Amino acid sequence: GESAKILNPQEHLCLVSEKAKLLFSDTSHCAFLQSFPSIANSGQTIALEYNTHIISSVTFTEEWYSSPFKAEGGWALEKRDTQNLSETRDNWGAAQNHLGGTPGYANSVATTHPDTLQPHITSLHITNDTSIVVSFSENIASNEFTTPLNLSDDNQIYSITELNNSLSHYVLFTSQPLQSNKTYTLTIPETWSDIAGNSFAESSYTFAKTDSLLQRNAIIFTEILFNPAVNEPDFIELYNNTNAYFDLSQVYLSNNETFYAIADEFCLFS
């Protein structure tokens, strides 16, 4: 198994595979793990857990490099301000030193970059009759949940749990089944804030249960611009021809050769 390692106050510690031990000459700032998790090149969520509680998590992507060259490999992503716990893209950047990283030491991009942005909900997605996946624009400490969220129509959020060990994605469980063809409103308590203490930008969010596209002409074209003015884009306008709600990430445009996803992430179309 792995040997014990003490992390002292204000100290950096690099976690690395036991197989790569010979590549790290300064072993005093490293902890070597026999079973080291794989990290996807394109990005993923990584988290630290203590006694079943998530104490830190970050969901990164290769786009955070802001440099196609460095995103190709060999350069570490580094945090700018260690006091900024939002875990948003603006507080991360590609390493600037010639070694491509600073394992075990202060980051080469270190600077003062406090979190001053108000958090908001980026997505509310009903996954089944009694659960809702909510995504926040930044990490939200779970101790905020001691003050309950309010849901319309006398429905209650009776439990909240992290989704995929992330502090910005959660699953909300409702006390009553959620109905189709109906909108709901989720209200954020005034006391809720992000880790830096910034209040939420909005207090109420409307969402709905999405349906499958089972009938022809449920969504129709209502406007097409195929010959735009100079420097202007083509566009297509869609119209929801039903009383239902749809997720546009499940809808594709096609030119009979290629399919194009309308939305990369969950997007409610009412």
Side-chain angles (χ1 to χ4, degrees):
E2 292 80 13
S3 58
K5 187 78 175 183
I6 300 298
L7 182 59
N8 295 316
Q10 311 303 314
E11 183 182 43
H12 296 84
L13 181 67
C14 182
L15 305 181
V16 66
S17 171
E18 181 80 33
K19 298 177 182 178
K21 190 172 185 177
L22 294 178
L23 300 177
F24 291 80
S25 57
D26 182 9
T27 58
S28 63
H29 291 90
C30 294
F32 299 98
L33 310 180
Q34 290 188 356
S35 56
F36 191 84
S38 61
I39 303 176
N41 291 345
S42 58
Q44 65 184 119
T45 296
I46 56 176
L48 287 174
E49 183 179 285
Y50 179 76
N51 283 349
T52 72
H53 294 290
I54 305 300
I55 60 174
S56 179
S57 82
V58 57
T59 303
F60 65 93
T61 74
E62 59 186 356
E63 295 177 354
W64 285 19
Y65 281 101
S66 298
S67 166
F69 169 73
K70 292 185 177 181
E72 286 296 315
W75 297 84
L77 275 177
E78 296 184 336
K79 180 175 284 189
R80 304 184 194 280
D81 189 340
T82 58
Q83 302 304 307
N84 183 337
L85 305 179
S86 62
E87 303 304 355
T88 50
R89 175 178 178 172
D90 60 295
N91 196 37
W92 288 77
Q96 299 296 318
N97 65 329
H98 69 283
L99 295 176
T102 52
Y105 297 89
N107 291 341
S108 62
V109 299
T111 186
T112 300
H113 186 74
D115 175 18
T116 59
L117 297 178
Q118 290 184 288
H120 60 275
I121 290 177
T122 58
S123 176
L124 278 169
H125 182 196
I126 298 175
T127 54
N128 61 47
D129 288 350
T130 56
S131 62
I132 308 162
V133 170
V134 56
S135 298
F136 296 103
S137 58
E138 58 180 282
N139 278 9
I140 303 296
S142 57
N143 58 11
E144 291 292 345
F145 304 150
T146 55
T147 304
L149 285 163
N150 294 315
L151 189 60
S152 58
D153 290 354
D154 295 325
N155 210 333
Q156 303 293 324
I157 304 295
Y158 74 88
S159 179
I160 303 176
T161 185
E162 296 99 351
L163 177 64
N164 298 329
N165 297 322
S166 172
L167 294 179
S168 59
H169 302 277
Y170 293 87
V171 182
L172 315 179
F173 296 96
T174 65
S175 58
Q176 301 175 37
L178 297 158
Q179 307 298 318
S180 299
N181 300 344
K182 182 177 182 179
T183 58
Y184 293 89
T185 300
L186 187 73
T187 303
I188 303 291
E190 292 183 0
T191 57
W192 275 36
S193 66
D194 62 17
I195 298 174
N198 299 307
S199 60
F200 271 72
E202 299 178 55
S203 60
S204 296
Y205 297 84
T206 301
F207 63 102
K209 186 176 181 181
T210 58
D211 285 2
S212 299
L213 288 173
L214 299 179
Q215 71 273 31
R216 190 183 299 269
N217 293 326
I219 296 177
I220 61 175
F221 297 103
T222 55
E223 190 173 351
I224 303 172
L225 178 61
F226 53 84
N227 188 16
V230 177
N231 297 325
E232 295 293 328
D234 300 347
F235 70 79
I236 294 173
E237 181 183 74
L238 302 177
Y239 175 70
N240 185 346
N241 200 31
T242 73
N243 293 321
Y245 298 83
F246 302 108
D247 175 11
L248 288 183
S249 68
Q250 304 298 314
V251 182
Y252 295 81
L253 288 173
S254 174
N255 59 3
N256 293 325
E257 295 181 357
T258 307
F259 288 89
Y260 303 90
I262 292 180
D264 294 330
E265 299 179 348
F266 176 80
C267 181
L268 186 67
F269 188 35
S270 59

mmCIF file of all heavy atoms in Angstrom, residues 118-125 132 134-137 140 149-152 172 183-189 192 199-208 268:
data_model
loop_
_atom_site.group_PDB
_atom_site.id
_atom_site.type_symbol
_atom_site.label_atom_id
_atom_site.label_comp_id
_atom_site.label_asym_id
_atom_site.label_seq_id
_atom_site.Cartn_x
_atom_site.Cartn_y
_atom_site.Cartn_z
ATOM 1 N N GLN A 118 -20.759 36.554 -9.099
ATOM 2 C CA GLN A 118 -21.922 35.954 -8.473
ATOM 3 C C GLN A 118 -22.212 34.597 -9.114
ATOM 4 O O GLN A 118 -22.206 34.467 -10.341
ATOM 5 C CB GLN A 118 -23.144 36.863 -8.631
ATOM 6 C CG GLN A 118 -23.088 38.138 -7.804
ATOM 7 C CD GLN A 118 -24.368 38.932 -7.941
ATOM 8 O OE1 GLN A 118 -24.629 39.522 -8.983
ATOM 9 N NE2 GLN A 118 -25.169 38.952 -6.885
ATOM 10 N N PRO A 119 -22.459 33.577 -8.317
ATOM 11 C CA PRO A 119 -22.776 32.262 -8.884
ATOM 12 C C PRO A 119 -24.182 32.240 -9.466
ATOM 13 O O PRO A 119 -25.026 33.075 -9.118
ATOM 14 C CB PRO A 119 -22.665 31.334 -7.682
ATOM 15 C CG PRO A 119 -23.031 32.206 -6.516
ATOM 16 C CD PRO A 119 -22.475 33.565 -6.841
ATOM 17 N N HIS A 120 -24.437 31.273 -10.343
ATOM 18 C CA HIS A 120 -25.772 31.082 -10.884
ATOM 19 C C HIS A 120 -25.931 29.623 -11.309
ATOM 20 O O HIS A 120 -24.941 28.888 -11.442
ATOM 21 C CB HIS A 120 -26.047 32.010 -12.074
ATOM 22 C CG HIS A 120 -25.112 31.810 -13.228
ATOM 23 N ND1 HIS A 120 -23.867 32.418 -13.306
ATOM 24 C CD2 HIS A 120 -25.213 31.047 -14.358
ATOM 25 C CE1 HIS A 120 -23.262 32.065 -14.413
ATOM 26 N NE2 HIS A 120 -24.052 31.229 -15.078
ATOM 27 N N ILE A 121 -27.152 29.204 -11.507
ATOM 28 C CA ILE A 121 -27.428 27.868 -12.010
ATOM 29 C C ILE A 121 -27.305 27.885 -13.527
ATOM 30 O O ILE A 121 -27.887 28.735 -14.201
ATOM 31 C CB ILE A 121 -28.835 27.403 -11.586
ATOM 32 C CG1 ILE A 121 -28.876 27.137 -10.072
ATOM 33 C CG2 ILE A 121 -29.247 26.148 -12.337
ATOM 34 C CD1 ILE A 121 -30.244 26.753 -9.544
ATOM 35 N N THR A 122 -26.526 26.948 -14.073
ATOM 36 C CA THR A 122 -26.343 26.881 -15.523
ATOM 37 C C THR A 122 -27.271 25.865 -16.181
ATOM 38 O O THR A 122 -27.534 25.951 -17.379
ATOM 39 C CB THR A 122 -24.891 26.519 -15.866
ATOM 40 O OG1 THR A 122 -24.552 25.263 -15.256
ATOM 41 C CG2 THR A 122 -23.932 27.592 -15.361
ATOM 42 N N SER A 123 -27.771 24.887 -15.406
ATOM 43 C CA SER A 123 -28.656 23.882 -15.985
ATOM 44 C C SER A 123 -29.486 23.220 -14.903
ATOM 45 O O SER A 123 -28.996 22.932 -13.809
ATOM 46 C CB SER A 123 -27.832 22.813 -16.719
ATOM 47 O OG SER A 123 -28.652 21.772 -17.210
ATOM 48 N N LEU A 124 -30.774 23.003 -15.203
ATOM 49 C CA LEU A 124 -31.684 22.233 -14.363
ATOM 50 C C LEU A 124 -32.309 21.167 -15.245
ATOM 51 O O LEU A 124 -33.066 21.470 -16.167
ATOM 52 C CB LEU A 124 -32.782 23.131 -13.774
ATOM 53 C CG LEU A 124 -32.428 23.932 -12.526
ATOM 54 C CD1 LEU A 124 -33.518 24.966 -12.251
ATOM 55 C CD2 LEU A 124 -32.281 23.014 -11.322
ATOM 56 N N HIS A 125 -31.992 19.895 -14.962
ATOM 57 C CA HIS A 125 -32.380 18.810 -15.853
ATOM 58 C C HIS A 125 -33.095 17.723 -15.051
ATOM 59 O O HIS A 125 -32.486 17.106 -14.170
ATOM 60 C CB HIS A 125 -31.117 18.243 -16.523
ATOM 61 C CG HIS A 125 -31.398 17.144 -17.498
ATOM 62 N ND1 HIS A 125 -30.410 16.291 -17.961
ATOM 63 C CD2 HIS A 125 -32.548 16.745 -18.116
ATOM 64 C CE1 HIS A 125 -30.947 15.423 -18.789
ATOM 65 N NE2 HIS A 125 -32.229 15.678 -18.912
ATOM 66 N N ILE A 132 -33.643 15.709 -9.964
ATOM 67 C CA ILE A 132 -33.261 16.835 -10.815
ATOM 68 C C ILE A 132 -31.752 17.007 -10.707
ATOM 69 O O ILE A 132 -31.202 17.058 -9.605
ATOM 70 C CB ILE A 132 -33.938 18.144 -10.357
ATOM 71 C CG1 ILE A 132 -35.446 17.960 -10.207
ATOM 72 C CG2 ILE A 132 -33.615 19.288 -11.300
ATOM 73 C CD1 ILE A 132 -36.106 19.056 -9.369
ATOM 74 N N VAL A 134 -28.775 19.520 -11.063
ATOM 75 C CA VAL A 134 -28.539 20.958 -11.119
ATOM 76 C C VAL A 134 -27.048 21.204 -11.260
ATOM 77 O O VAL A 134 -26.229 20.576 -10.580
ATOM 78 C CB VAL A 134 -29.101 21.670 -9.859
ATOM 79 C CG1 VAL A 134 -28.526 21.078 -8.579
ATOM 80 C CG2 VAL A 134 -28.836 23.171 -9.916
ATOM 81 N N SER A 135 -26.696 22.106 -12.176
ATOM 82 C CA SER A 135 -25.306 22.483 -12.389
ATOM 83 C C SER A 135 -25.122 23.951 -12.032
ATOM 84 O O SER A 135 -25.908 24.804 -12.480
ATOM 85 C CB SER A 135 -24.894 22.248 -13.847
ATOM 86 O OG SER A 135 -24.988 20.873 -14.174
ATOM 87 N N PHE A 136 -24.102 24.240 -11.227
ATOM 88 C CA PHE A 136 -23.784 25.609 -10.838
ATOM 89 C C PHE A 136 -22.600 26.124 -11.649
ATOM 90 O O PHE A 136 -21.780 25.336 -12.135
ATOM 91 C CB PHE A 136 -23.456 25.685 -9.346
ATOM 92 C CG PHE A 136 -24.603 25.339 -8.438
ATOM 93 C CD1 PHE A 136 -24.677 24.100 -7.812
ATOM 94 C CD2 PHE A 136 -25.621 26.251 -8.198
ATOM 95 C CE1 PHE A 136 -25.725 23.773 -6.972
ATOM 96 C CE2 PHE A 136 -26.682 25.943 -7.363
ATOM 97 C CZ PHE A 136 -26.739 24.704 -6.749
ATOM 98 N N SER A 137 -22.488 27.425 -11.761
ATOM 99 C CA SER A 137 -21.398 28.040 -12.529
ATOM 100 C C SER A 137 -20.056 27.901 -11.831
ATOM 101 O O SER A 137 -19.008 28.132 -12.433
ATOM 102 C CB SER A 137 -21.697 29.523 -12.774
ATOM 103 O OG SER A 137 -21.870 30.208 -11.534
ATOM 104 N N ILE A 140 -20.034 25.090 -5.073
ATOM 105 C CA ILE A 140 -20.890 25.535 -3.976
ATOM 106 C C ILE A 140 -20.681 24.567 -2.817
ATOM 107 O O ILE A 140 -20.876 23.359 -2.976
ATOM 108 C CB ILE A 140 -22.376 25.565 -4.385
ATOM 109 C CG1 ILE A 140 -22.583 26.460 -5.613
ATOM 110 C CG2 ILE A 140 -23.245 26.026 -3.221
ATOM 111 C CD1 ILE A 140 -22.268 27.928 -5.380
ATOM 112 N N LEU A 149 -33.718 24.364 -0.359
ATOM 113 C CA LEU A 149 -34.216 24.960 -1.588
ATOM 114 C C LEU A 149 -35.735 24.889 -1.596
ATOM 115 O O LEU A 149 -36.332 23.975 -1.034
ATOM 116 C CB LEU A 149 -33.680 24.189 -2.797
ATOM 117 C CG LEU A 149 -32.215 24.395 -3.176
ATOM 118 C CD1 LEU A 149 -31.767 23.261 -4.092
ATOM 119 C CD2 LEU A 149 -32.033 25.722 -3.881
ATOM 120 N N ASN A 150 -36.348 25.861 -2.239
ATOM 121 C CA ASN A 150 -37.806 25.881 -2.352
ATOM 122 C C ASN A 150 -38.229 25.506 -3.763
ATOM 123 O O ASN A 150 -37.667 26.000 -4.745
ATOM 124 C CB ASN A 150 -38.346 27.277 -2.014
ATOM 125 C CG ASN A 150 -38.116 27.636 -0.562
ATOM 126 O OD1 ASN A 150 -38.345 26.822 0.327
ATOM 127 N ND2 ASN A 150 -37.643 28.847 -0.308
ATOM 128 N N LEU A 151 -39.214 24.616 -3.864
ATOM 129 C CA LEU A 151 -39.742 24.176 -5.148
ATOM 130 C C LEU A 151 -41.229 24.497 -5.200
ATOM 131 O O LEU A 151 -41.933 24.384 -4.198
ATOM 132 C CB LEU A 151 -39.509 22.670 -5.313
ATOM 133 C CG LEU A 151 -39.796 22.051 -6.678
ATOM 134 C CD1 LEU A 151 -38.937 22.689 -7.759
ATOM 135 C CD2 LEU A 151 -39.543 20.546 -6.627
ATOM 136 N N SER A 152 -41.706 24.908 -6.378
ATOM 137 C CA SER A 152 -43.109 25.315 -6.523
ATOM 138 C C SER A 152 -44.056 24.128 -6.389
ATOM 139 O O SER A 152 -43.647 22.964 -6.371
ATOM 140 C CB SER A 152 -43.305 25.982 -7.891
ATOM 141 O OG SER A 152 -42.926 25.100 -8.935
ATOM 142 N N LEU A 172 -30.905 16.657 -6.960
ATOM 143 C CA LEU A 172 -31.954 17.034 -6.019
ATOM 144 C C LEU A 172 -33.062 15.984 -6.092
ATOM 145 O O LEU A 172 -33.529 15.645 -7.180
ATOM 146 C CB LEU A 172 -32.534 18.413 -6.370
ATOM 147 C CG LEU A 172 -31.556 19.530 -6.708
ATOM 148 C CD1 LEU A 172 -32.322 20.807 -7.038
ATOM 149 C CD2 LEU A 172 -30.578 19.761 -5.574
ATOM 150 N N THR A 183 -44.322 23.594 -15.996
ATOM 151 C CA THR A 183 -43.090 24.248 -15.546
ATOM 152 C C THR A 183 -43.038 24.281 -14.023
ATOM 153 O O THR A 183 -44.072 24.325 -13.351
ATOM 154 C CB THR A 183 -42.993 25.689 -16.081
ATOM 155 O OG1 THR A 183 -44.136 26.443 -15.637
ATOM 156 C CG2 THR A 183 -42.904 25.700 -17.591
ATOM 157 N N TYR A 184 -41.824 24.257 -13.511
ATOM 158 C CA TYR A 184 -41.577 24.349 -12.079
ATOM 159 C C TYR A 184 -40.596 25.482 -11.818
ATOM 160 O O TYR A 184 -39.810 25.859 -12.689
ATOM 161 C CB TYR A 184 -40.999 23.039 -11.544
ATOM 162 C CG TYR A 184 -41.947 21.872 -11.589
ATOM 163 C CD1 TYR A 184 -42.024 21.059 -12.717
ATOM 164 C CD2 TYR A 184 -42.780 21.580 -10.511
ATOM 165 C CE1 TYR A 184 -42.909 19.978 -12.762
ATOM 166 C CE2 TYR A 184 -43.668 20.500 -10.546
ATOM 167 C CZ TYR A 184 -43.722 19.717 -11.680
ATOM 168 O OH TYR A 184 -44.593 18.670 -11.721
ATOM 169 N N THR A 185 -40.655 26.009 -10.617
ATOM 170 C CA THR A 185 -39.741 27.083 -10.228
ATOM 171 C C THR A 185 -38.941 26.659 -9.004
ATOM 172 O O THR A 185 -39.515 26.254 -7.990
ATOM 173 C CB THR A 185 -40.504 28.380 -9.911
ATOM 174 O OG1 THR A 185 -41.233 28.795 -11.069
ATOM 175 C CG2 THR A 185 -39.536 29.488 -9.516
ATOM 176 N N LEU A 186 -37.618 26.759 -9.127
ATOM 177 C CA LEU A 186 -36.716 26.479 -8.012
ATOM 178 C C LEU A 186 -36.210 27.809 -7.481
ATOM 179 O O LEU A 186 -35.705 28.639 -8.242
ATOM 180 C CB LEU A 186 -35.544 25.613 -8.473
ATOM 181 C CG LEU A 186 -34.602 25.108 -7.379
ATOM 182 C CD1 LEU A 186 -35.289 24.014 -6.563
ATOM 183 C CD2 LEU A 186 -33.310 24.572 -7.990
ATOM 184 N N THR A 187 -36.360 28.027 -6.175
ATOM 185 C CA THR A 187 -35.965 29.299 -5.566
ATOM 186 C C THR A 187 -34.763 29.094 -4.653
ATOM 187 O O THR A 187 -34.772 28.223 -3.779
ATOM 188 C CB THR A 187 -37.124 29.904 -4.753
ATOM 189 O OG1 THR A 187 -38.255 30.062 -5.616
ATOM 190 C CG2 THR A 187 -36.734 31.261 -4.189
ATOM 191 N N ILE A 188 -33.721 29.905 -4.873
ATOM 192 C CA ILE A 188 -32.503 29.852 -4.065
ATOM 193 C C ILE A 188 -32.702 30.708 -2.810
ATOM 194 O O ILE A 188 -33.090 31.880 -2.912
ATOM 195 C CB ILE A 188 -31.293 30.394 -4.860
ATOM 196 C CG1 ILE A 188 -31.111 29.616 -6.163
ATOM 197 C CG2 ILE A 188 -30.023 30.345 -4.012
ATOM 198 C CD1 ILE A 188 -30.658 28.207 -5.992
ATOM 199 N N PRO A 189 -32.437 30.174 -1.622
ATOM 200 C CA PRO A 189 -32.566 30.981 -0.406
ATOM 201 C C PRO A 189 -31.615 32.187 -0.427
ATOM 202 O O PRO A 189 -30.522 32.122 -0.999
ATOM 203 C CB PRO A 189 -32.172 29.999 0.709
ATOM 204 C CG PRO A 189 -32.398 28.642 0.129
ATOM 205 C CD PRO A 189 -32.080 28.771 -1.327
ATOM 206 N N TRP A 192 -27.925 31.684 0.627
ATOM 207 C CA TRP A 192 -26.983 30.895 -0.154
ATOM 208 C C TRP A 192 -25.957 31.789 -0.837
ATOM 209 O O TRP A 192 -26.267 32.901 -1.291
ATOM 210 C CB TRP A 192 -27.725 30.088 -1.209
ATOM 211 C CG TRP A 192 -28.261 28.778 -0.714
ATOM 212 C CD1 TRP A 192 -28.767 28.520 0.522
ATOM 213 C CD2 TRP A 192 -28.345 27.567 -1.447
ATOM 214 N NE1 TRP A 192 -29.175 27.215 0.610
ATOM 215 C CE2 TRP A 192 -28.925 26.593 -0.581
ATOM 216 C CE3 TRP A 192 -28.005 27.185 -2.747
ATOM 217 C CZ2 TRP A 192 -29.166 25.295 -0.989
ATOM 218 C CZ3 TRP A 192 -28.250 25.889 -3.150
ATOM 219 C CH2 TRP A 192 -28.819 24.949 -2.279
ATOM 220 N N SER A 199 -23.276 36.427 -3.299
ATOM 221 C CA SER A 199 -24.666 35.983 -3.373
ATOM 222 C C SER A 199 -25.014 35.562 -4.796
ATOM 223 O O SER A 199 -24.331 35.927 -5.759
ATOM 224 C CB SER A 199 -25.607 37.105 -2.921
ATOM 225 O OG SER A 199 -25.451 38.239 -3.759
ATOM 226 N N PHE A 200 -26.100 34.804 -4.938
ATOM 227 C CA PHE A 200 -26.510 34.321 -6.250
ATOM 228 C C PHE A 200 -27.020 35.465 -7.116
ATOM 229 O O PHE A 200 -27.685 36.388 -6.626
ATOM 230 C CB PHE A 200 -27.585 33.245 -6.110
ATOM 231 C CG PHE A 200 -27.020 31.854 -5.986
ATOM 232 C CD1 PHE A 200 -26.389 31.458 -4.818
ATOM 233 C CD2 PHE A 200 -27.094 30.960 -7.042
ATOM 234 C CE1 PHE A 200 -25.854 30.191 -4.693
ATOM 235 C CE2 PHE A 200 -26.556 29.687 -6.933
ATOM 236 C CZ PHE A 200 -25.936 29.299 -5.765
ATOM 237 N N ALA A 201 -26.704 35.392 -8.414
ATOM 238 C CA ALA A 201 -27.113 36.435 -9.356
ATOM 239 C C ALA A 201 -28.625 36.448 -9.541
ATOM 240 O O ALA A 201 -29.230 37.498 -9.744
ATOM 241 C CB ALA A 201 -26.415 36.230 -10.703
ATOM 242 N N GLU A 202 -29.255 35.280 -9.480
ATOM 243 C CA GLU A 202 -30.708 35.164 -9.610
ATOM 244 C C GLU A 202 -31.222 34.290 -8.484
ATOM 245 O O GLU A 202 -30.523 33.404 -7.998
ATOM 246 C CB GLU A 202 -31.085 34.558 -10.965
ATOM 247 C CG GLU A 202 -30.638 35.361 -12.169
ATOM 248 C CD GLU A 202 -30.995 34.671 -13.470
ATOM 249 O OE1 GLU A 202 -32.188 34.361 -13.662
ATOM 250 O OE2 GLU A 202 -30.092 34.426 -14.270
ATOM 251 N N SER A 203 -32.464 34.522 -8.089
ATOM 252 C CA SER A 203 -33.027 33.739 -6.993
ATOM 253 C C SER A 203 -33.997 32.668 -7.468
ATOM 254 O O SER A 203 -34.219 31.680 -6.765
ATOM 255 C CB SER A 203 -33.745 34.659 -5.999
ATOM 256 O OG SER A 203 -34.790 35.364 -6.646
ATOM 257 N N SER A 204 -34.581 32.830 -8.676
ATOM 258 C CA SER A 204 -35.575 31.872 -9.161
ATOM 259 C C SER A 204 -35.203 31.338 -10.535
ATOM 260 O O SER A 204 -34.738 32.102 -11.398
ATOM 261 C CB SER A 204 -36.964 32.522 -9.228
ATOM 262 O OG SER A 204 -37.405 32.889 -7.939
ATOM 263 N N TYR A 205 -35.423 30.043 -10.728
ATOM 264 C CA TYR A 205 -35.101 29.386 -11.992
ATOM 265 C C TYR A 205 -36.273 28.498 -12.407
ATOM 266 O O TYR A 205 -36.776 27.706 -11.613
ATOM 267 C CB TYR A 205 -33.833 28.538 -11.853
ATOM 268 C CG TYR A 205 -32.596 29.351 -11.536
ATOM 269 C CD1 TYR A 205 -32.305 29.713 -10.219
ATOM 270 C CD2 TYR A 205 -31.737 29.768 -12.540
ATOM 271 C CE1 TYR A 205 -31.174 30.460 -9.921
ATOM 272 C CE2 TYR A 205 -30.610 30.519 -12.248
ATOM 273 C CZ TYR A 205 -30.338 30.863 -10.939
ATOM 274 O OH TYR A 205 -29.219 31.607 -10.644
ATOM 275 N N THR A 206 -36.700 28.643 -13.662
ATOM 276 C CA THR A 206 -37.810 27.870 -14.191
ATOM 277 C C THR A 206 -37.285 26.704 -15.020
ATOM 278 O O THR A 206 -36.342 26.863 -15.797
ATOM 279 C CB THR A 206 -38.724 28.752 -15.057
ATOM 280 O OG1 THR A 206 -39.227 29.831 -14.254
ATOM 281 C CG2 THR A 206 -39.885 27.951 -15.605
ATOM 282 N N PHE A 207 -37.887 25.533 -14.864
ATOM 283 C CA PHE A 207 -37.462 24.360 -15.614
ATOM 284 C C PHE A 207 -38.674 23.469 -15.849
ATOM 285 O O PHE A 207 -39.771 23.735 -15.342
ATOM 286 C CB PHE A 207 -36.360 23.595 -14.866
ATOM 287 C CG PHE A 207 -36.789 23.042 -13.536
ATOM 288 C CD1 PHE A 207 -37.092 21.695 -13.394
ATOM 289 C CD2 PHE A 207 -36.890 23.860 -12.414
ATOM 290 C CE1 PHE A 207 -37.486 21.178 -12.179
ATOM 291 C CE2 PHE A 207 -37.281 23.349 -11.187
ATOM 292 C CZ PHE A 207 -37.583 22.000 -11.067
ATOM 293 N N ALA A 208 -38.483 22.399 -16.627
ATOM 294 C CA ALA A 208 -39.594 21.508 -16.952
ATOM 295 C C ALA A 208 -39.061 20.132 -17.312
ATOM 296 O O ALA A 208 -37.883 19.958 -17.645
ATOM 297 C CB ALA A 208 -40.413 22.077 -18.108
ATOM 298 N N LEU A 268 -33.052 23.426 -22.553
ATOM 299 C CA LEU A 268 -34.503 23.293 -22.548
ATOM 300 C C LEU A 268 -35.125 24.138 -23.633
ATOM 301 O O LEU A 268 -34.845 25.332 -23.769
ATOM 302 C CB LEU A 268 -35.047 23.711 -21.169
ATOM 303 C CG LEU A 268 -36.544 23.503 -20.947
ATOM 304 C CD1 LEU A 268 -36.872 22.020 -20.917
ATOM 305 C CD2 LEU A 268 -36.972 24.173 -19.638
#
